[in-house]
Amino acid sequence: TARRTVRTPAREVPYDDLVLATGSDAARLTIPGAERTHVYRTLEDVAVLAAEVSRLRAELGRAPRAVVVGGGLLGLEAAGGLQDLGAEAAVVNVADRLLNAQVDAGGGQALGRLIAGTGLGVHCSVRPAAVAVDPSDGAVTALELEDHEPLPADLVVVAIGVRPQDELARHAGLDTGPRGGVVIDDSCRTSAPGVWAIGEVACFDGRCVGLVAPANTMAEVCADRLHGGSATFPGFDTATKLKLAGVDVASFGDALGTTEGCLEVVYADPARGLYQKLVVSHDAATLLGGIFVGDASPYTTLRPMLGHELGAEPGAYLSASGGAAPDAELPDEATLCSCNNVSVGAVRGAVRGDGADPCHDLGALKSCTRAGTQCGSCVPLLKKTLEAELTKSGLTVSRALCEHFELSRAELFEAVRALGLVSFEEVMDRFGRGRGCDLCKPAIASVLASQHADYVLDAGRGALQDTNDRALANMQKDGTYSVVPRVPAGEITPAKLAVIAAVAEDFGLYTKITGAQRIDMFGARLEQLPDIWKRLVDAGFESGQAYGKSLRTVKSCVGSTWCRFGVQDSVSMAVDLELRYRGLRSPHKLKIGVSGCARECAEARGKDVGVIATDLGWNLYVGGNGGFQPAHAQLLAQDLDDETLVRYIDRYLMYYIRTADRLQRTARWMEDLEGGLEHVRQVVVEDSLGIAAELEEAMAQHVGNYKDEWAATLADPERLRRFRSFVNAPTAPDPSTAYVRERGQRRPATAVERAGHLGPGIELADVPEPEPVIVAGARIPVRGQEG
């Protein structure tokens, strides 16, 4: 540092300024046998672990037992990856909960249930003591723990953080932190003149952090200072989101509530694995941090608001409370992309073209600002900011369906209707370009199905459909399909129940009563679907269309028929509505609920259309849904008679089908409509657009032209040809399928179970062998040759 040079084995290089960006290594254990452990840090580490699991599985003849030391983000992701590779994985953590640096005790309790549900073993408040090995061959046999029984293990992986690569700085005499790392100030300067440090080797406020966002921010600060600027490092942004399938966890800011006088607004349901918390200032106005477990959907919106005033009560921003977050405009100084430290103001400036060409599409905006180019979690907010800024500037916001169509779905729907187009080719020739894609093909198929009663898979329309629609069944994770016959309002006769039981028994199907009052049968192979549906159709069943973007179910309580609180016949109304709207293709799936009194046993306000009985008739609610972003339905009209109720629902559904974007649920559609609920009320109830009769006529056409898709399939041999897994052996099962028996039923085996490790109460299940198939050969002339 005195001579301002860097010496390598080959030469000596002078410097004016030197930036240390030497990063870090994975931290390791210092216990007996630690040399036999693996780490999870780099792509090379991942490749080694994958090879090791494969080797152990082959040698042991069973799923290898993998123990991951470390219950943080990397530890959980490592355990999930090992499980996906076919290992039986468990996590060991010294702290009393998983993700102890990110979530509090309440979040940890909910997280523990979610993790346990994935099949990962969890051991908290335990400390590793040694790695036990077989003295004969040196193979790992267990992880020994202090004051606890050893954990059997064939593979031990350590993911306990990072160790800064600060040896160069130490030898040069630079100040280092108590736990390693080169000490820097808020300008990223070290203790030596002209020497800077950034990234995981830099120690700020006594700690080093192995996250990309602070490293990028330090680089920005250092670059600014080298150009004579005065930028300062604000501290570590430790906002994190767990990337583990089936586990939704995120935290940001002062998540643990250490700020003096702060308040914590909490929604907790640990039994469901759901926990949401906001940390706010003492006056409940300024957002300081948050934790989300089980449903992290508010994270994207709230993270940029950190340190700013909320536009409403904090509880309104928790999705678990059932409301929609207020739509508040973010201040310019708010961080939109923390990975690349891009502010909302910078994005707005890029859209306006401040000092450069304006960016009016998402791709250009990502290129010029770098927002959304790293982890991608801010892309939805980036798109929303782009559209808002274009609107402010008086520019048209593109609602194009995809790159092949300049029209939006709603515009395309009206164009197809006005011109009477009946095929994808006609639509493409008139309004599109190219050959279409996975976005526009299913959307156009839905538009055509909404307007015409033709069989959805005929005349080339089958190739447009999503996988489920092509098979007229829901594909499951093992490649088999589920069978869901329609049971209007959940009302079913004993005779029909007996048919379902016989079909499920004969075909070895897993059965479950769904939350929508239907019976789902799982595990049917593609070639079995026609035989199954033949028996169901003969018994009077029809397709429940659980596979389509269409009406799924109408849920009902027993109403005044049986219940002493019921004030209207909710069962009859629900049956009528389900039979009226069955098969109705729409931008997204539709659900309806009918409750016979205000006690709301059918959960009607959680549906796209909710009907609740009153002493004077029916109250109609619209725009509700469950799922990823739950929303309560809102009251549209009240005390309606039967005829008026049905007429209003006809208008509402058809208006939604005509004007919504692809895959847009009714709740989001109403949010995007100018005027929202009031606009819908004016159109549906007051007929402000003068199209009520037209909407009713369109629905009447649907009702009059309805045909059951499975009955139509069974009646046509050509249509049945689709349902063959193998052309030359049409009844042969997929040899890769494997099942286990649990609680008296057969279900798909997990990766661990396929490797031979079965838990208590679980046994291998036989796959019914098909009848022997004899494929006769024949040769015929084809284009001048035998084939």
Side-chain angles (χ1 to χ4, degrees), residues 232-266:
T232 58
F233 180 61
F236 292 112
D237 176 7
T238 56
T240 48
K241 200 169 189 299
L242 180 62
K243 295 179 282 290
L244 186 66
V247 182
D248 205 10
V249 179
S251 72
F252 67 99
D254 183 15
L256 302 182
T258 59
T259 304
E260 185 176 353
C262 67
L263 302 176
E264 297 183 352
V265 181
V266 178

Side-chain angles (χ1 to χ4, degrees), residues 363-664:
L365 190 58
K366 290 168 74 173
S367 296
C368 69
T369 65
R370 296 190 298 128
T373 59
Q374 206 131 4
C375 78
S377 64
C378 66
V379 171
L381 186 57
L382 182 67
K383 184 174 184 291
K384 185 177 180 180
T385 305
L386 167 64
E387 293 178 352
E389 200 60 31
L390 289 174
T391 301
K392 281 184 194 174
S393 303
L395 299 172
T396 302
V397 177
S398 173
R399 301 289 183 183
L401 181 61
C402 69
E403 63 187 282
H404 303 104
F405 287 90
E406 295 181 358
L407 300 178
S408 68
R409 181 201 169 276
E411 292 167 337
L412 199 60
F413 187 101
E414 288 304 313
V416 170
R417 186 177 67 87
L419 297 176
L421 306 181
V422 296
S423 71
F424 177 76
E425 290 74 21
E426 288 180 343
V427 176
M428 207 75 195
D429 289 344
R430 192 64 184 267
F431 301 108
R433 54 181 177 269
R435 297 182 178 181
C437 64
D438 289 341
L439 297 180
C440 62
K441 285 181 177 179
I444 293 173
S446 175
V447 166
L448 293 171
S450 299
Q451 300 185 31
H452 305 288
D454 298 331
Y455 182 75
V456 294
L457 304 182
D458 278 353
R461 288 185 292 272
L464 307 179
Q465 305 286 357
D466 289 325
T467 299
N468 290 341
D469 287 277
R470 285 199 296 271
L472 302 181
N474 261 350
M475 177 180 278
Q476 304 304 314
K477 68 178 186 179
D478 66 338
T480 62
Y481 294 84
S482 64
V483 175
V484 189
R486 187 174 299 285
V487 181
E491 184 182 66
I492 189 168
T493 64
K496 284 190 172 182
L497 277 173
V499 171
I500 289 178
V503 167
E505 187 73 30
D506 292 349
F507 287 89
L509 306 179
Y510 173 98
T511 58
K512 186 180 186 306
I513 296 176
T514 72
Q517 300 179 328
R518 302 198 289 193
I519 298 175
D520 213 338
M521 294 176 278
F522 295 85
R525 301 195 304 273
L526 182 68
E527 72 277 2
Q528 293 177 323
L529 292 175
D531 293 334
I532 292 171
W533 274 105
K534 175 73 166 60
R535 292 174 60 173
L536 293 173
V537 169
D538 288 347
F541 286 105
E542 62 181 37
S543 170
Q545 286 198 309
Y547 47 82
K549 296 295 183 284
S550 56
L551 177 74
R552 295 293 176 87
T553 61
V554 181
K555 188 173 183 178
S556 166
C557 65
V558 295
S560 60
T561 309
W562 291 94
C563 179
R564 58 198 174 97
F565 299 110
V567 294
Q568 301 288 349
D569 186 356
S570 56
V571 178
S572 293
M573 177 55 72
V575 170
D576 290 346
L577 293 179
E578 184 154 350
L579 295 180
R580 183 172 184 81
Y581 302 122
R582 58 187 169 178
L584 180 63
R585 299 279 170 160
S586 55
H588 209 290
K589 62 185 175 185
L590 294 169
K591 296 182 181 181
I592 300 177
V594 183
S595 289
C597 73
R599 282 175 169 78
E600 251 283 72
C601 292
E603 300 161 339
R605 289 200 62 197
K607 305 292 189 290
D608 299 276
V609 174
V611 180
I612 302 177
T614 72
D615 291 330
L616 301 176
W618 305 98
N619 283 356
L620 175 58
Y621 293 81
V622 294
N625 63 254
F628 185 68
Q629 289 181 288
H632 273 105
Q634 304 174 71
L635 181 64
L636 183 69
Q638 58 192 45
D639 297 332
L640 305 174
D641 58 49
D642 291 7
E643 182 182 348
T644 305
L645 173 71
V646 172
R647 192 163 65 247
Y648 285 178
I649 297 175
D650 283 357
R651 296 175 185 177
Y652 176 78
L653 291 178
M654 194 52 68
Y655 188 49
Y656 160 67
I657 289 170
R658 287 191 176 187
T659 60
D661 289 335
R662 62 175 291 275
L663 300 182
Q664 187 177 41

Side-chain angles (χ1 to χ4, degrees), residues 702-723:
H702 160 74
V703 174
N705 294 329
Y706 168 77
K707 295 182 181 68
D708 175 48
E709 290 169 356
W710 264 110
T713 301
L714 294 170
D716 189 331
E718 278 303 307
R719 292 169 178 170
L720 286 172
R721 289 169 60 85
R722 295 177 176 274
F723 298 91

